[in-house]
Amino acid sequence: MNKRQLKKSIGTAVLCIGLFLAICTADGSKCEISLRLAGVALFAIGAGLAEVYDWQN
């Protein structure tokens, strides 16, 4: 596995974790807003690492 494939794999994993955190946080939980914002941030970082939006260039 080369560096680009490793970077895409790690990015995809981070993207999935962020998506899970943003969507699956229970409503009314103690830190709901913080957890959802952290999930959105992880999603954005993972998408950047995985180069998900490169097809738009």
Side-chain angles (χ1 to χ4, degrees):
M1 182 179 278
N2 62 21
K3 286 185 179 184
R4 184 176 178 155
Q5 288 175 331
L6 181 64
K7 181 181 166 189
K8 287 187 114 177
S9 296
I10 291 171
T12 302
V14 171
L15 184 144
C16 291
I17 291 168
L19 191 61
F20 180 80
L21 188 61
I23 293 174
C24 296
T25 300
D27 291 340
S29 62
K30 187 175 182 180
C31 300
E32 177 185 0
I33 301 299
S34 299
L35 289 172
R36 290 187 190 266
L37 289 176
V40 170
L42 282 174
F43 177 83
I45 291 167
L49 284 174
E51 300 171 356
V52 173
Y53 298 110
D54 271 0
W55 57 271
Q56 293 180 346
N57 292 336

